[in-house]
Amino acid sequence: AAPDVFVSKHTAIPREDVDDYVRKRILPAGAPSQAARVSSTGRDVLLRECPGAGFCSASRYEGRGKPGNDYKFSVLRDGGAYHCHRCGCSGSWYDLRLGMS
């Protein structure tokens, strides 16, 4: 069996910080149609559209604006890692913040 990986609590990103960042930084910077909701499990924040130019672009996926293609960018509330189910981009909390700057 593989040993457990140690992760220091000093690098843990609290859920409140992730929620606060989405509310105060990502939503205001987005398009007028940008919105967020919490997933049914409460584990992720789902963004209606990708948060900015550092992530998906219209040329990287089809179907922008179609109802079945909304809320595909997820941010893990406990830790801040993200993944886009449209184009496949993903990264850490620090990558998310860097992409927003």
Side-chain angles (χ1 to χ4, degrees):
D4 290 335
V5 175
F6 173 76
V7 177
S8 170
K9 291 189 187 252
H10 295 288
T11 60
I13 310 301
R15 178 176 284 207
E16 297 78 24
D17 289 359
V18 173
D19 290 348
D20 192 53
Y21 189 78
V22 168
R23 185 175 52 257
K24 291 182 178 177
R25 177 70 173 97
I26 294 177
L27 291 179
S33 59
Q34 180 65 288
R37 67 181 186 205
V38 175
S39 66
S40 60
T41 63
R43 181 179 161 231
D44 300 295
V45 174
L46 304 172
L47 299 179
R48 181 172 186 191
E49 298 174 355
C50 296
F55 305 96
C56 289
S57 65
S59 65
R60 293 181 73 181
Y61 64 88
E62 296 295 325
R64 183 181 197 109
K66 293 181 181 176
N69 209 22
D70 289 344
Y71 298 100
K72 301 295 186 196
F73 193 98
S74 65
V75 181
L76 184 64
R77 294 176 75 205
D78 292 323
Y82 70 91
H83 181 77
C84 179
H85 297 275
R86 282 189 192 113
C87 76
C89 71
S90 61
S92 70
W93 169 247
Y94 303 102
D95 297 328
L96 177 64
R97 293 183 60 136
L98 182 63
M100 288 300 300
S101 59

